[in-house]
């Protein structure tokens, strides 16, 4: 599967899983100096590889008839400043709830470590602007995920599959937290508890053999 075909596959998946409604949300994947990105204004479950524009990291259009997603400047800012090879941005429900009501998603489950622990909410700025791209880059520092105030979420990965799974995890963590708040006061894991998880993951106990 080439990188434009991959975009179509994950675009369909994002819609099927309810992470994206209609044309909201955008995905990109980098191959060397070339970035394939979902087009502006197209339903993500109806993409063909030819519909997906290819740009360079400076934002010059290299291939494709359609305009790249309006959020492309944010994707490119991430590629220029991190080792990410893929970026997924959605307006998923629980991520957007957290992004409109809080300044961060605290670690209520140890799987938050897979995203870098606490997920920060980037300050609000108009969609598609360099200002928003800058705010997101700041919130993403050292992490695999960020939320965007009154907007949605963004995740990065070494592959599109990784970035996509990070988006699913981010949405799940936001849902657990939001639903938890409806039931009571969710306990937040301490630095010590999180450090113990890392320690455990690095040194898994071996089962003795008979
Ligand atoms: Zn958006």
């Amino acid at each position: 599967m080439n990188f434009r075909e991959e975009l179509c596959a994950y675009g369909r998946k994002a819609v099927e899983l309810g992470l994206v409604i209609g044309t909201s949300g955008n995905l990109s994947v980098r191959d060397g100096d070339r970035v394939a990105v979902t087009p502006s204004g197209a339903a993500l479950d109806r993409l063909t590889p030819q519909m997906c524009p290819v740009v360079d990291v400076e934002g010059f259009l290299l291939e494709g008839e359609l305009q790249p997603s309006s959020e492309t400047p944010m994707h490119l800012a991430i590629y220029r400043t991190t080792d990410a090879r893929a970026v997924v941005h959605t307006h998923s429900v629980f991520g957007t709830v957290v992004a409109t009501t809080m300044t961060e998603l605290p670690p209520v489950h140890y799987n938050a470590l897979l995203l870098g622990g606490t997920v920060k909410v980037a300050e609000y700025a108009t969609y598609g602007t360099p200002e928003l791209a800058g705010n997101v880059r700041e919130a993403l520092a050292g992490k695999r995920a960020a939320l965007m105030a009154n907007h949605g979420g963004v995740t990065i990965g070494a592959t599109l599959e990784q970035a996509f799974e990070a988006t699913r995890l981010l949405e799940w963590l936001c849902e657990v937290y939001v639903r938890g708040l409806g039931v009571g006061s969710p306990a937040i894991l301490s630095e010590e508890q999180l450090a113990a998880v890392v320690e455990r993951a690095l040194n898994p106990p071996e089962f003795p053999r008979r």
Side-chain angles (χ1 to χ4, degrees):
M1 206 174 352
N2 73 36
F3 70 159
R4 288 163 106 184
E5 289 168 347
E6 228 189 324
L7 274 189
C8 303
Y10 281 94
R12 271 196 305 277
K13 227 172 156 181
V15 173
E16 274 165 24
L17 294 173
L19 293 165
V20 163
I21 292 170
T23 62
S24 70
N26 34 76
L27 292 71
S28 70
V29 59
R30 180 177 185 172
D31 181 12
D33 291 333
R34 294 149 52 85
V35 177
V37 62
T38 50
S40 179
L44 290 191
D45 55 346
R46 284 176 223 154
L47 297 178
T48 61
Q50 294 71 27
M51 286 169 77
C52 298
V54 178
V55 296
D56 64 18
V57 278
E58 269 80 50
F60 289 96
L61 192 54
L62 303 174
E63 272 178 65
E65 296 301 317
L66 300 177
Q67 282 294 300
S69 156
S70 54
E71 220 61 88
T72 300
M74 175 182 79
H75 290 242
L76 298 180
I78 292 169
Y79 289 126
R80 285 195 298 267
T81 52
T82 70
D83 59 359
R85 292 279 150 183
V87 177
V88 173
H89 161 59
T90 75
H91 302 168
S92 61
V93 176
F94 287 95
T96 307
V97 169
V98 172
T100 54
T101 54
M102 301 170 204
T103 55
E104 64 177 33
L105 173 71
V108 288
H109 190 283
Y110 67 85
N111 275 351
L113 283 170
L114 296 169
L115 303 180
T118 298
V119 178
K120 292 183 185 163
V121 178
E123 225 178 287
Y124 182 81
T126 310
Y127 82 92
T129 58
E131 195 189 351
L132 179 62
N135 295 350
V136 167
R137 230 178 42 199
E138 223 171 90
L140 262 179
K143 302 189 184 275
R144 311 310 280 176
L147 291 159
M148 301 151 76
N150 300 83
H151 187 155
V154 57
T155 58
I156 61 176
T159 61
L160 191 50
E161 184 184 9
Q162 273 185 22
F164 188 82
E165 287 307 314
T167 279
R168 291 183 66 192
L169 176 59
L170 175 63
E171 179 65 1
W172 181 80
L173 289 167
C174 287
E175 181 168 358
V176 167
Y177 190 50
V178 168
R179 288 190 189 272
L181 285 170
V183 176
S185 305
I188 312 295
L189 293 172
S190 66
E191 287 295 327
E192 205 180 16
Q193 287 169 324
L194 291 172
V197 171
V198 174
E199 172 66 26
R200 181 85 182 175
L202 292 175
N203 303 293
E206 270 190 39
F207 285 85
R209 288 181 190 278
R210 286 229 183 265

